[in-house]
Amino acid sequence: MAAEKITVSRATFDQVILPVYAPAQFVPVKGKGSRVWDQQGKEYIDFSGGIAVTALGHCHPALVEALKCQGETLWHTSNIFTNEPALRLASKLIAATFAERVFFVNSGTEANEAAFKLARYYVGKKHSPYKTKIIAFHNAFHGRSLFAVSVGGQPKYSDGFGPKPADIVHVPFNDLAAVQAVIDDHTCAVVLEPIQGEGGIMPASQAFIEGVRALCDKHNALLVFDEVQSGMGRSGKLFAYQHYGVVPDILTTAKALGGGFPVSAMLTTHDIASVMAPGVHGTTYGGNPLACAVAEAAMDIINTDEVLNGVMQRRAQFESALKAIHSRLDVFSDIRGMGLLLGAVLKPEYADKARDILNAAAAEGVMILNAGTGVLRLAPSLIIEPADIDEGMQRLSRALEKVIRA
Ligand SMILES: *Cc1c(COP(=O)(O)O)cnc(C)c1O
């Protein structure tokens, strides 16, 4: 007997899903490149990229091929048995970065959880079990496990869930003196996003990143870069740290790593990894062959001069379109970010209008994001067609005009 086919719509969301999201009023059903279609057949240009995840657009033929091919070969082994796609992907990540060891998991949160646990474990063994302080930053976002959300710098996300992991302090981002004031020989690690994403698309300054590295070295603390959002080509280099020439001890990557298939990784050095032993940490799905096969295909495309240089060209196109909107409507106070992680900061009088603008943009047929309050965020496909950028920016311009003239 065939399974019963039930009809669902946006209204179903409010009946069946835990109310932790407030999704847009349309339901996407199909995507190709940077175009998406909803249940009614309406077409959208996607500048949201699934929050910096679909770095090669929707249903890229090479990713579809990798998924189909691996899907007909081997889906899952568990970590009782290793697998070829995971070993190949790890080797490629190592070849392209500072890293010498890789740990695969399934989400940004889990990669950060592994990073923070590893930092505590390593420093505890290597130096002292009392060297546990983690320094993190206001407005930082590191995911939603209780450890990750506690290291994150927005108490509204971590309050209400009972006692938090101890010995985590938060100071203002890009404020080296503030780090200097709290770092000491009991500090285990400093954790930062080279470009704060959820916190409002705020890149770290060169002096800040260099200064934090020097302070970590002075106090034998580890430097952890959360590149879950800024990594995998988003900044115009494979990882944002490569713009700064400052190397972390541990780096996490997720979002775009699988181009839309859930997979994430924690990268570190041989020395730090060497404190780990079988059983100390683990996961059932992490390094799953299906996920790693898709991620390998994504990385093969992203980590090329063609794609990375294309990010810079496309950023220029977005920036000039945003500036043209601004000169017509006088809405932005700043355009910031790196590569194709763009933040358009709304002027104070429009700072509470981000959600209205998102809705108006959807009505005009363009999907965008916000980041914190008062910042419009664009995180499109790294290979979005220039014609789609033009068309989408025209739609965004019409949406902005409607909201500010309303
Ligand atoms: C999205 C994000 C996370 C959390 O990733 P999940 O896959 O949602 O767990 C962590 N850190 C940063 C910087 C992110 O942008």
Side-chain angles (χ1 to χ4, degrees):
M1 204 175 80
E4 185 196 359
K5 174 114 180 143
I6 67 166
T7 305
V8 294
S9 69
R10 174 60 179 78
T12 316
F13 178 93
D14 298 326
Q15 294 155 6
V16 302
I17 303 293
L18 192 78
V20 293
Y21 310 113
Q25 289 305 314
F26 65 94
V27 180
V29 295
K30 193 175 106 165
K32 186 74 201 148
S34 286
R35 305 260 170 166
V36 167
W37 290 266
D38 72 10
Q39 286 185 309
Q40 280 68 44
K42 178 175 162 154
E43 172 250 11
Y44 302 79
I45 291 173
D46 187 0
F47 288 168
S48 71
I51 317 188
V53 167
T54 48
L56 297 172
H58 296 277
C59 300
H60 188 288
L63 273 57
V64 171
E65 180 57 30
L67 184 64
K68 280 187 177 163
C69 181
Q70 190 62 41
E72 288 170 351
T73 307
L74 183 70
W75 284 30
H76 180 77
T77 57
S78 87
N79 288 298
I80 305 300
F81 314 94
T82 190
N83 69 81
E84 292 179 349
L87 298 174
R88 284 198 303 263
L89 178 60
S91 302
K92 288 182 178 182
L93 285 165
I94 286 169
T97 65
F98 74 97
E100 297 160 331
R101 290 289 186 273
V102 176
F103 176 68
F104 289 117
V105 260
N106 316 288
S107 66
T109 299
E110 289 166 275
N112 284 329
E113 184 79 20
F116 305 158
K117 283 183 68 179
L118 174 60
R120 285 263 178 88
Y121 201 77
Y122 172 81
V123 169
K125 287 217 178 268
K126 187 101 179 175
H127 299 290
S128 153
Y130 305 106
K131 190 171 161 61
T132 54
K133 186 195 289 182
I134 292 177
I135 299 173
F137 296 93
H138 295 161
N139 294 322
F141 185 78
H142 300 300
R144 301 293 197 145
S145 69
L146 196 54
F147 198 176
V149 85
S150 302
V151 176
Q154 299 200 57
K156 68 171 189 231
Y157 292 146
S158 54
D159 289 347
F161 297 101
K164 297 176 193 180
D167 213 7
I168 301 166
V169 298
H170 296 95
V171 295
F173 189 61
N174 271 336
D175 185 342
L176 189 60
V179 180
Q180 196 150 19
V182 293
I183 199 166
D184 58 19
D185 289 342
H186 298 291
T187 302
C188 165
V190 179
V191 178
L192 64 89
E193 298 159 85
I195 310 168
Q196 281 198 339
E198 302 305 306
I201 316 301
M202 181 63 80
S205 73
Q206 182 70 31
F208 177 69
I209 290 246
E210 284 179 6
V212 170
R213 176 73 268 180
L215 287 171
C216 287
D217 292 344
K218 183 174 166 203
H219 293 283
N220 284 318
L222 299 181
L223 181 57
V224 180
F225 283 172
D226 176 348
E227 292 229 33
V228 167
Q229 188 155 168
S230 61
M232 295 315 293
R234 181 67 39 199
S235 70
K237 292 195 188 280
L238 188 64
F239 289 102
Y241 85 85
Q242 294 164 332
H243 289 278
Y244 293 92
V246 170
V247 174
D249 300 295
I250 302 176
L251 179 146
T252 55
T253 172
K255 290 198 165 81
L257 181 62
F261 200 97
V263 55
S264 66
M266 179 193 69
L267 279 50
T268 191
T269 63
H270 169 69
D271 172 52
I272 296 169
S274 68
V275 296
M276 286 294 180
V280 176
H281 191 56
T283 163
T284 298
Y285 286 125
N288 168 292
L290 207 47
C292 290
V294 178
E296 184 190 6
M299 184 170 167
D300 284 345
I301 296 170
I302 291 171
N303 195 26
T304 57
D305 288 342
E306 188 191 342
V307 169
L308 297 176
N309 293 338
V311 168
M312 294 316 207
Q313 287 153 14
R314 284 166 177 80
R315 180 182 180 90
Q317 195 185 343
F318 271 105
E319 267 194 28
S320 69
L322 286 166
K323 284 177 183 153
I325 290 178
H326 177 67
S327 61
R328 203 164 64 77
L329 299 175
D330 193 27
V331 282
F332 303 132
S333 61
D334 195 11
I335 311 286
R336 64 193 185 203
M338 283 165 76
L340 286 176
L341 190 54
L342 291 122
V345 186
L346 295 164
K347 290 180 74 175
E349 56 266 45
Y350 306 120
D352 62 345
K353 293 268 188 280
R355 194 84 209 181
D356 294 344
I357 295 167
L358 260 57
N359 289 337
E364 293 293 332
V366 58
M367 296 153 77
I368 64 165
L369 306 163
N370 65 323
T373 47
V375 181
L376 302 183
R377 167 174 40 170
L378 308 180
S381 161
L382 306 184
I383 55 169
I384 184 171
E385 295 291 338
D388 288 347
I389 301 177
D390 274 343
E391 174 66 29
M393 289 310 289
Q394 284 168 30
R395 295 179 188 184
L396 179 57
S397 179
R398 287 199 292 275
L400 276 161
E401 181 158 8
K402 283 196 175 144
V403 172
I404 69 171
R405 301 260 152 91

